[in-house]
Amino acid sequence: MRQFYRWLFYLAGLFILALGLTLNTKTGLGVTPIISVPYSIAQVFGFNFGDATLVAYCLFVAIQFLLKGKPVRWADLLQLPLSLVFTRVLNLLDGAVPAAPQGMPARLCLLAAAILCTGVGAAMSVDMKLVPNPGDGIVAAIAQRTGRELGFTKNWFDTANVGITLVFGLVMGHPLCGIGLGTVLAMLGVGRVMALFNRLCLPAMGRLAFVPAARGEGTAE
């Protein structure tokens, strides 16, 4: 039953994360920070969004290997096929989820749901200590290397991605490509949602799934 709960929480977390990323793009208020770089590249050069995200995820995996500085685990290598599956799910959800209705109140409500889903999904999938989504795996690797709290590291990493996207957009003559109010609010909110979720839910989830992270790793500062 422990393994059942562990995989249940993990798969549910990945799906919720993919849904959150998709909902953010559908608001028309900008994409989430962690996919803002591949999104802007896809828009400028006409690439498929899922394919551009796959390349970014492969880069994230390579950086994780450098940060950890130890023999590669099977779970680390499995991030590569996971990236392929996850980005295909993003493409499917992108076609299945309609855009937000006109009007700022409706868009802001959808954005709130997107931030909540992204934070909860990211926390659930990382907490289960299985195969992390590369975007979350690199955040966990940075947090482990620096000794900082997971939510704080997520905020920092999101800020860095937004900065790269802004510089790329300015250089390519497409300022604010993919960057909007939704990006800024996601940059501020997703990490806090992760920290709050871990504080409230991680102990109970850890007991059910018998996950080492139940000792309190990743709780809010």
Side-chain angles (χ1 to χ4, degrees), residues 178-202:
I179 302 296
L181 176 63
T183 308
V184 176
L185 293 180
M187 180 174 62
L188 298 174
V190 171
R192 295 301 89 198
V193 170
M194 290 179 69
L196 180 61
F197 178 85
N198 280 345
R199 170 171 288 182
L200 297 177
C201 303
L202 180 55

PDB file of all heavy atoms in Angstrom, residues 178-202:
ATOM      1  N   GLY A 178       5.651  36.173 -24.023  1.00  0.00           N
ATOM      2  CA  GLY A 178       5.313  35.181 -23.015  1.00  0.00           C
ATOM      3  C   GLY A 178       5.319  35.704 -21.594  1.00  0.00           C
ATOM      4  O   GLY A 178       4.960  34.977 -20.673  1.00  0.00           O
ATOM      5  N   ILE A 179       5.727  36.944 -21.413  1.00  0.00           N
ATOM      6  CA  ILE A 179       5.816  37.533 -20.078  1.00  0.00           C
ATOM      7  C   ILE A 179       4.633  38.477 -19.865  1.00  0.00           C
ATOM      8  O   ILE A 179       4.332  39.310 -20.716  1.00  0.00           O
ATOM      9  CB  ILE A 179       7.124  38.328 -19.890  1.00  0.00           C
ATOM     10  CG1 ILE A 179       8.324  37.415 -20.124  1.00  0.00           C
ATOM     11  CG2 ILE A 179       7.181  38.932 -18.497  1.00  0.00           C
ATOM     12  CD1 ILE A 179       8.448  36.290 -19.131  1.00  0.00           C
ATOM     13  N   GLY A 180       3.948  38.319 -18.764  1.00  0.00           N
ATOM     14  CA  GLY A 180       2.815  39.176 -18.449  1.00  0.00           C
ATOM     15  C   GLY A 180       2.512  39.127 -16.965  1.00  0.00           C
ATOM     16  O   GLY A 180       3.304  38.630 -16.155  1.00  0.00           O
ATOM     17  N   LEU A 181       1.354  39.624 -16.608  1.00  0.00           N
ATOM     18  CA  LEU A 181       0.941  39.632 -15.210  1.00  0.00           C
ATOM     19  C   LEU A 181       0.926  38.221 -14.634  1.00  0.00           C
ATOM     20  O   LEU A 181       1.329  38.001 -13.484  1.00  0.00           O
ATOM     21  CB  LEU A 181      -0.444  40.265 -15.083  1.00  0.00           C
ATOM     22  CG  LEU A 181      -1.070  40.275 -13.680  1.00  0.00           C
ATOM     23  CD1 LEU A 181      -0.216  41.103 -12.721  1.00  0.00           C
ATOM     24  CD2 LEU A 181      -2.500  40.805 -13.735  1.00  0.00           C
ATOM     25  N   GLY A 182       0.472  37.256 -15.444  1.00  0.00           N
ATOM     26  CA  GLY A 182       0.424  35.875 -14.973  1.00  0.00           C
ATOM     27  C   GLY A 182       1.793  35.322 -14.655  1.00  0.00           C
ATOM     28  O   GLY A 182       1.964  34.537 -13.714  1.00  0.00           O
ATOM     29  N   THR A 183       2.803  35.719 -15.439  1.00  0.00           N
ATOM     30  CA  THR A 183       4.170  35.258 -15.190  1.00  0.00           C
ATOM     31  C   THR A 183       4.682  35.794 -13.861  1.00  0.00           C
ATOM     32  O   THR A 183       5.274  35.061 -13.065  1.00  0.00           O
ATOM     33  CB  THR A 183       5.092  35.727 -16.326  1.00  0.00           C
ATOM     34  OG1 THR A 183       4.538  35.358 -17.583  1.00  0.00           O
ATOM     35  CG2 THR A 183       6.472  35.114 -16.186  1.00  0.00           C
ATOM     36  N   VAL A 184       4.447  37.076 -13.626  1.00  0.00           N
ATOM     37  CA  VAL A 184       4.921  37.700 -12.388  1.00  0.00           C
ATOM     38  C   VAL A 184       4.239  37.086 -11.170  1.00  0.00           C
ATOM     39  O   VAL A 184       4.892  36.745 -10.171  1.00  0.00           O
ATOM     40  CB  VAL A 184       4.683  39.218 -12.427  1.00  0.00           C
ATOM     41  CG1 VAL A 184       5.083  39.862 -11.100  1.00  0.00           C
ATOM     42  CG2 VAL A 184       5.455  39.855 -13.579  1.00  0.00           C
ATOM     43  N   LEU A 185       2.915  36.917 -11.245  1.00  0.00           N
ATOM     44  CA  LEU A 185       2.193  36.352 -10.112  1.00  0.00           C
ATOM     45  C   LEU A 185       2.578  34.891  -9.878  1.00  0.00           C
ATOM     46  O   LEU A 185       2.665  34.443  -8.729  1.00  0.00           O
ATOM     47  CB  LEU A 185       0.685  36.479 -10.329  1.00  0.00           C
ATOM     48  CG  LEU A 185       0.133  37.909 -10.331  1.00  0.00           C
ATOM     49  CD1 LEU A 185      -1.374  37.914 -10.558  1.00  0.00           C
ATOM     50  CD2 LEU A 185       0.480  38.625  -9.021  1.00  0.00           C
ATOM     51  N   ALA A 186       2.812  34.145 -10.961  1.00  0.00           N
ATOM     52  CA  ALA A 186       3.264  32.764 -10.815  1.00  0.00           C
ATOM     53  C   ALA A 186       4.659  32.720 -10.200  1.00  0.00           C
ATOM     54  O   ALA A 186       4.954  31.860  -9.359  1.00  0.00           O
ATOM     55  CB  ALA A 186       3.257  32.056 -12.169  1.00  0.00           C
ATOM     56  N   MET A 187       5.509  33.642 -10.613  1.00  0.00           N
ATOM     57  CA  MET A 187       6.864  33.715 -10.075  1.00  0.00           C
ATOM     58  C   MET A 187       6.843  33.937  -8.564  1.00  0.00           C
ATOM     59  O   MET A 187       7.641  33.367  -7.817  1.00  0.00           O
ATOM     60  CB  MET A 187       7.630  34.848 -10.759  1.00  0.00           C
ATOM     61  CG  MET A 187       9.065  35.034 -10.302  1.00  0.00           C
ATOM     62  SD  MET A 187       9.920  36.279 -11.292  1.00  0.00           S
ATOM     63  CE  MET A 187       8.927  37.741 -10.946  1.00  0.00           C
ATOM     64  N   LEU A 188       5.898  34.745  -8.110  1.00  0.00           N
ATOM     65  CA  LEU A 188       5.785  35.032  -6.683  1.00  0.00           C
ATOM     66  C   LEU A 188       5.004  33.962  -5.933  1.00  0.00           C
ATOM     67  O   LEU A 188       5.291  33.686  -4.761  1.00  0.00           O
ATOM     68  CB  LEU A 188       5.107  36.389  -6.481  1.00  0.00           C
ATOM     69  CG  LEU A 188       5.824  37.611  -7.057  1.00  0.00           C
ATOM     70  CD1 LEU A 188       4.961  38.855  -6.906  1.00  0.00           C
ATOM     71  CD2 LEU A 188       7.174  37.813  -6.379  1.00  0.00           C
ATOM     72  N   GLY A 189       4.014  33.357  -6.616  1.00  0.00           N
ATOM     73  CA  GLY A 189       3.076  32.512  -5.897  1.00  0.00           C
ATOM     74  C   GLY A 189       3.361  31.028  -5.877  1.00  0.00           C
ATOM     75  O   GLY A 189       3.050  30.352  -4.880  1.00  0.00           O
ATOM     76  N   VAL A 190       3.959  30.474  -6.946  1.00  0.00           N
ATOM     77  CA  VAL A 190       4.121  29.020  -7.019  1.00  0.00           C
ATOM     78  C   VAL A 190       5.010  28.493  -5.895  1.00  0.00           C
ATOM     79  O   VAL A 190       4.702  27.492  -5.238  1.00  0.00           O
ATOM     80  CB  VAL A 190       4.664  28.600  -8.392  1.00  0.00           C
ATOM     81  CG1 VAL A 190       5.050  27.112  -8.381  1.00  0.00           C
ATOM     82  CG2 VAL A 190       3.630  28.850  -9.483  1.00  0.00           C
ATOM     83  N   GLY A 191       6.126  29.160  -5.656  1.00  0.00           N
ATOM     84  CA  GLY A 191       7.026  28.719  -4.593  1.00  0.00           C
ATOM     85  C   GLY A 191       6.365  28.756  -3.236  1.00  0.00           C
ATOM     86  O   GLY A 191       6.575  27.872  -2.396  1.00  0.00           O
ATOM     87  N   ARG A 192       5.538  29.787  -3.007  1.00  0.00           N
ATOM     88  CA  ARG A 192       4.840  29.882  -1.716  1.00  0.00           C
ATOM     89  C   ARG A 192       3.773  28.801  -1.587  1.00  0.00           C
ATOM     90  O   ARG A 192       3.541  28.275  -0.493  1.00  0.00           O
ATOM     91  CB  ARG A 192       4.206  31.263  -1.573  1.00  0.00           C
ATOM     92  CG  ARG A 192       5.192  32.417  -1.494  1.00  0.00           C
ATOM     93  CD  ARG A 192       6.163  32.278  -0.324  1.00  0.00           C
ATOM     94  NE  ARG A 192       7.365  31.526  -0.693  1.00  0.00           N
ATOM     95  CZ  ARG A 192       8.184  30.972   0.196  1.00  0.00           C
ATOM     96  NH1 ARG A 192       7.907  31.037   1.482  1.00  0.00           N
ATOM     97  NH2 ARG A 192       9.252  30.334  -0.199  1.00  0.00           N
ATOM     98  N   VAL A 193       3.108  28.474  -2.711  1.00  0.00           N
ATOM     99  CA  VAL A 193       2.129  27.381  -2.675  1.00  0.00           C
ATOM    100  C   VAL A 193       2.828  26.067  -2.343  1.00  0.00           C
ATOM    101  O   VAL A 193       2.333  25.268  -1.529  1.00  0.00           O
ATOM    102  CB  VAL A 193       1.382  27.275  -4.016  1.00  0.00           C
ATOM    103  CG1 VAL A 193       0.541  25.987  -4.065  1.00  0.00           C
ATOM    104  CG2 VAL A 193       0.481  28.477  -4.225  1.00  0.00           C
ATOM    105  N   MET A 194       3.996  25.828  -2.930  1.00  0.00           N
ATOM    106  CA  MET A 194       4.763  24.616  -2.639  1.00  0.00           C
ATOM    107  C   MET A 194       5.115  24.541  -1.159  1.00  0.00           C
ATOM    108  O   MET A 194       4.952  23.491  -0.510  1.00  0.00           O
ATOM    109  CB  MET A 194       6.039  24.583  -3.480  1.00  0.00           C
ATOM    110  CG  MET A 194       5.821  24.360  -4.962  1.00  0.00           C
ATOM    111  SD  MET A 194       7.385  24.370  -5.896  1.00  0.00           S
ATOM    112  CE  MET A 194       8.134  22.847  -5.291  1.00  0.00           C
ATOM    113  N   ALA A 195       5.607  25.651  -0.625  1.00  0.00           N
ATOM    114  CA  ALA A 195       6.010  25.662   0.774  1.00  0.00           C
ATOM    115  C   ALA A 195       4.812  25.432   1.695  1.00  0.00           C
ATOM    116  O   ALA A 195       4.897  24.671   2.663  1.00  0.00           O
ATOM    117  CB  ALA A 195       6.693  26.991   1.103  1.00  0.00           C
ATOM    118  N   LEU A 196       3.690  26.093   1.404  1.00  0.00           N
ATOM    119  CA  LEU A 196       2.494  25.928   2.232  1.00  0.00           C
ATOM    120  C   LEU A 196       1.951  24.507   2.130  1.00  0.00           C
ATOM    121  O   LEU A 196       1.551  23.910   3.141  1.00  0.00           O
ATOM    122  CB  LEU A 196       1.429  26.944   1.807  1.00  0.00           C
ATOM    123  CG  LEU A 196       0.107  26.895   2.585  1.00  0.00           C
ATOM    124  CD1 LEU A 196       0.354  27.182   4.065  1.00  0.00           C
ATOM    125  CD2 LEU A 196      -0.894  27.892   2.002  1.00  0.00           C
ATOM    126  N   PHE A 197       1.926  23.968   0.919  1.00  0.00           N
ATOM    127  CA  PHE A 197       1.437  22.604   0.732  1.00  0.00           C
ATOM    128  C   PHE A 197       2.292  21.613   1.519  1.00  0.00           C
ATOM    129  O   PHE A 197       1.764  20.697   2.168  1.00  0.00           O
ATOM    130  CB  PHE A 197       1.440  22.242  -0.758  1.00  0.00           C
ATOM    131  CG  PHE A 197       0.990  20.837  -1.038  1.00  0.00           C
ATOM    132  CD1 PHE A 197      -0.359  20.542  -1.165  1.00  0.00           C
ATOM    133  CD2 PHE A 197       1.914  19.806  -1.176  1.00  0.00           C
ATOM    134  CE1 PHE A 197      -0.780  19.241  -1.414  1.00  0.00           C
ATOM    135  CE2 PHE A 197       1.491  18.503  -1.430  1.00  0.00           C
ATOM    136  CZ  PHE A 197       0.148  18.226  -1.546  1.00  0.00           C
ATOM    137  N   ASN A 198       3.609  21.774   1.451  1.00  0.00           N
ATOM    138  CA  ASN A 198       4.489  20.869   2.181  1.00  0.00           C
ATOM    139  C   ASN A 198       4.295  20.987   3.687  1.00  0.00           C
ATOM    140  O   ASN A 198       4.345  19.988   4.409  1.00  0.00           O
ATOM    141  CB  ASN A 198       5.946  21.140   1.810  1.00  0.00           C
ATOM    142  CG  ASN A 198       6.336  20.495   0.497  1.00  0.00           C
ATOM    143  OD1 ASN A 198       5.631  19.632  -0.007  1.00  0.00           O
ATOM    144  ND2 ASN A 198       7.456  20.921  -0.062  1.00  0.00           N
ATOM    145  N   ARG A 199       4.092  22.189   4.161  1.00  0.00           N
ATOM    146  CA  ARG A 199       3.885  22.372   5.590  1.00  0.00           C
ATOM    147  C   ARG A 199       2.593  21.705   6.046  1.00  0.00           C
ATOM    148  O   ARG A 199       2.550  21.077   7.112  1.00  0.00           O
ATOM    149  CB  ARG A 199       3.861  23.855   5.941  1.00  0.00           C
ATOM    150  CG  ARG A 199       3.408  24.146   7.383  1.00  0.00           C
ATOM    151  CD  ARG A 199       3.598  25.591   7.751  1.00  0.00           C
ATOM    152  NE  ARG A 199       5.007  25.918   7.919  1.00  0.00           N
ATOM    153  CZ  ARG A 199       5.450  27.126   8.292  1.00  0.00           C
ATOM    154  NH1 ARG A 199       4.581  28.108   8.490  1.00  0.00           N
ATOM    155  NH2 ARG A 199       6.743  27.351   8.452  1.00  0.00           N
ATOM    156  N   LEU A 200       1.529  21.811   5.241  1.00  0.00           N
ATOM    157  CA  LEU A 200       0.222  21.295   5.645  1.00  0.00           C
ATOM    158  C   LEU A 200       0.035  19.816   5.338  1.00  0.00           C
ATOM    159  O   LEU A 200      -0.611  19.095   6.110  1.00  0.00           O
ATOM    160  CB  LEU A 200      -0.890  22.100   4.958  1.00  0.00           C
ATOM    161  CG  LEU A 200      -0.990  23.589   5.309  1.00  0.00           C
ATOM    162  CD1 LEU A 200      -2.082  24.256   4.487  1.00  0.00           C
ATOM    163  CD2 LEU A 200      -1.226  23.789   6.799  1.00  0.00           C
ATOM    164  N   CYS A 201       0.585  19.371   4.211  1.00  0.00           N
ATOM    165  CA  CYS A 201       0.237  18.034   3.715  1.00  0.00           C
ATOM    166  C   CYS A 201       1.379  17.026   3.699  1.00  0.00           C
ATOM    167  O   CYS A 201       1.124  15.815   3.684  1.00  0.00           O
ATOM    168  CB  CYS A 201      -0.337  18.136   2.295  1.00  0.00           C
ATOM    169  SG  CYS A 201      -1.783  19.214   2.157  1.00  0.00           S
ATOM    170  N   LEU A 202       2.622  17.485   3.676  1.00  0.00           N
ATOM    171  CA  LEU A 202       3.742  16.558   3.526  1.00  0.00           C
ATOM    172  C   LEU A 202       3.842  15.532   4.655  1.00  0.00           C
ATOM    173  O   LEU A 202       4.091  14.354   4.393  1.00  0.00           O
ATOM    174  CB  LEU A 202       5.057  17.326   3.385  1.00  0.00           C
ATOM    175  CG  LEU A 202       6.327  16.487   3.211  1.00  0.00           C
ATOM    176  CD1 LEU A 202       6.181  15.547   2.024  1.00  0.00           C
ATOM    177  CD2 LEU A 202       7.539  17.386   3.033  1.00  0.00           C
TER     178      LEU A 202
END
